[in-house]
Amino acid sequence: MVQTIPYDLQQVICEMAIGPNGTDSFAFKAMRVSKVWAHFVCNVLYRNYIIGDYLQFVGFVKTVSSENCLLPYGIYIHSVDLTSVNRYGINMRAHKLIKHCPNLLSVTLGHPTSVKPSTILMMARHCKKLHSLQIGGLESHPFMLETNFSSLNSLKHVDINTTPLTSSSLNSLPLTLERIRLIKLESINDQDFSTFIKGREETLKSLAIIRCLRFKGNIVHILESLEHLEQLELVGENINDKTIEGLFDLPFTLKSLRLFDTQITEKTVSALAAGRLKVHYLDISNNSLLTDEIIKPLLLKRHL
């Protein structure tokens, strides 16, 4: 009687043979051993598939969406990055790709993206396991983007860049969100930010507000309830002494704080040196109103 090696052991052997990224030439030989081994190989090969150029993207979508394929290739895909093909009109194929990939954990649309709002809406409905989402500016879309992200219950990380997002769409992001980067969202104001924070006090660990010009209020009113915040990034000329007044009196400990290309002055640096806020890593570079002569003596007091 022929003894069969247990499937879990076969999988270990197969993955060791083809390498961690499936780049070893043995991968294609392993796929011909049996359907089980083909499954093992595809699980590695397609998990974080890298799209190099447009022709590769076209072939990739055709393979994944084919009705006559030997294996359901779409179920193996965990990560999709469309940045390298964004200069082409990719919406139709991106729509088809996402529709056939129910196990996606990470989607990067790039910036700017030619993916249309209808595809983003479809992704919000179907990608239930999505952990990380990056949305760039939408080409040829002059209107506000109205969508509902509330069904993405597994979403943890979001980057939104220049997308004309409505405040209701922003607030539809799940309360379980841990990290968010908001870049050049000119449609969002102080009240929208404040509303967004409510209900996320226990989960939000990283917040970046980058060149959001309508944000001009005091950041402390937004941050004071975020006791679990670990990373804070504020970028843009709308960030000044008044905007972050009181920030360094918060009894928090931040793993990192970045104040970049702002209008802060010596007053803010002095408040940092004297305040209760603890910071493990600080970046206050490229601030036109600060010089090394101002920064170094004050930060030495805090051993930063």
Side-chain angles (χ1 to χ4, degrees):
M1 181 176 177
V2 179
Q3 295 292 324
T4 303
I5 300 175
Y7 286 146
D8 55 349
L9 184 55
Q10 289 187 46
Q11 182 171 2
V12 171
I13 295 171
C14 180
E15 290 183 358
M16 288 179 64
I18 66 176
N21 299 314
T23 54
D24 193 284
S25 59
F26 178 71
F28 297 101
K29 295 179 181 178
M31 289 186 72
R32 294 194 290 268
V33 172
S34 68
K35 193 170 183 177
V36 172
W37 274 55
H39 166 76
F40 295 154
V41 172
C42 289
N43 195 39
V44 175
L45 197 63
Y46 287 100
R47 185 184 302 155
N48 298 305
Y49 190 82
I50 298 174
I51 300 171
D53 55 51
Y54 185 69
L55 289 178
Q56 183 186 12
F57 172 65
V58 172
F60 180 56
V61 175
K62 185 177 180 180
T63 299
V64 170
S65 61
S66 174
E67 296 181 358
N68 300 315
C69 55
L70 296 175
L71 292 169
Y73 296 109
I75 69 170
Y76 303 114
I77 300 170
H78 290 178
S79 173
V80 168
D81 186 346
L82 302 178
T83 304
S84 63
V85 293
N86 258 333
R87 59 183 178 275
Y88 307 102
I90 63 170
N91 181 69
M92 186 181 299
R93 288 188 171 89
H95 189 102
K96 186 182 293 186
L97 176 64
I98 291 171
K99 186 177 180 180
H100 286 83
C101 300
N103 295 322
L104 278 172
L105 301 179
S106 174
V107 173
T108 299
L109 299 182
H111 175 74
T113 179
S114 54
V115 170
K116 295 183 179 179
S118 58
T119 299
I120 296 175
L121 285 167
M122 184 271 294
M123 181 169 53
R125 290 194 301 268
H126 295 287
C127 300
K128 303 297 184 181
K129 299 179 181 179
L130 201 65
H131 284 185
S132 178
L133 173 62
Q134 186 274 329
I135 305 176
L138 305 181
E139 292 182 345
S140 304
H141 184 69
F143 309 107
M144 298 290 284
L145 176 60
E146 183 71 51
T147 189
N148 190 331
F149 297 104
S150 61
S151 61
L152 299 176
N153 296 322
S154 298
L155 202 59
K156 301 293 183 183
H157 311 291
V158 173
D159 286 43
I160 304 176
N161 189 343
T162 323
T163 305
L165 200 68
T166 63
S167 58
S168 60
S169 297
L170 179 66
N171 287 322
S172 73
L173 287 165
L175 298 179
T176 53
L177 209 61
E178 294 180 359
R179 183 182 73 85
I180 187 165
R181 288 170 56 85
L182 304 174
I183 306 169
K184 295 182 180 179
L185 293 192
E186 298 183 3
S187 60
I188 306 299
N189 59 30
D190 300 349
Q191 184 57 48
D192 295 329
F193 280 117
S194 182
T195 303
F196 172 75
I197 292 300
K198 292 178 181 178
R200 297 177 172 85
E201 296 88 349
E202 297 296 320
T203 57
L204 200 60
K205 297 179 181 179
S206 178
L207 174 64
I209 301 175
I210 301 174
R211 306 191 192 285
C212 296
L213 299 182
R214 292 187 66 194
F215 176 75
K216 298 179 180 179
N218 188 284
I219 190 71
V220 175
H221 300 311
I222 294 177
L223 299 182
E224 57 188 357
S225 61
L226 298 179
E227 297 181 1
H228 301 285
L229 192 67
E230 297 177 351
Q231 297 176 317
L232 177 63
E233 181 178 5
L234 302 174
V235 178
E237 295 185 355
N238 56 311
I239 305 298
N240 51 46
D241 294 340
K242 185 177 180 181
T243 307
I244 59 176
E245 184 178 4
L247 170 62
F248 306 111
D249 292 326
L250 294 175
F252 293 174
T253 298
L254 295 179
K255 290 182 178 179
S256 69
L257 172 63
R258 185 174 189 243
L259 303 173
F260 183 82
D261 194 24
T262 71
Q263 293 294 297
I264 61 173
T265 68
E266 182 178 356
K267 178 181 178 181
T268 288
V269 180
S270 299
L272 169 61
R276 292 190 295 168
L277 182 73
K278 296 179 180 179
V279 181
H280 292 165
Y281 173 78
L282 175 67
D283 178 1
I284 50 174
S285 58
N286 204 45
N287 295 292
S288 60
L289 301 181
L290 292 178
T291 64
D292 289 343
E293 289 72 21
I294 293 175
I295 296 171
K296 288 180 179 178
L298 292 169
L299 295 188
L300 283 173
K301 297 180 182 178
R302 291 288 301 271
H303 307 288
L304 290 169

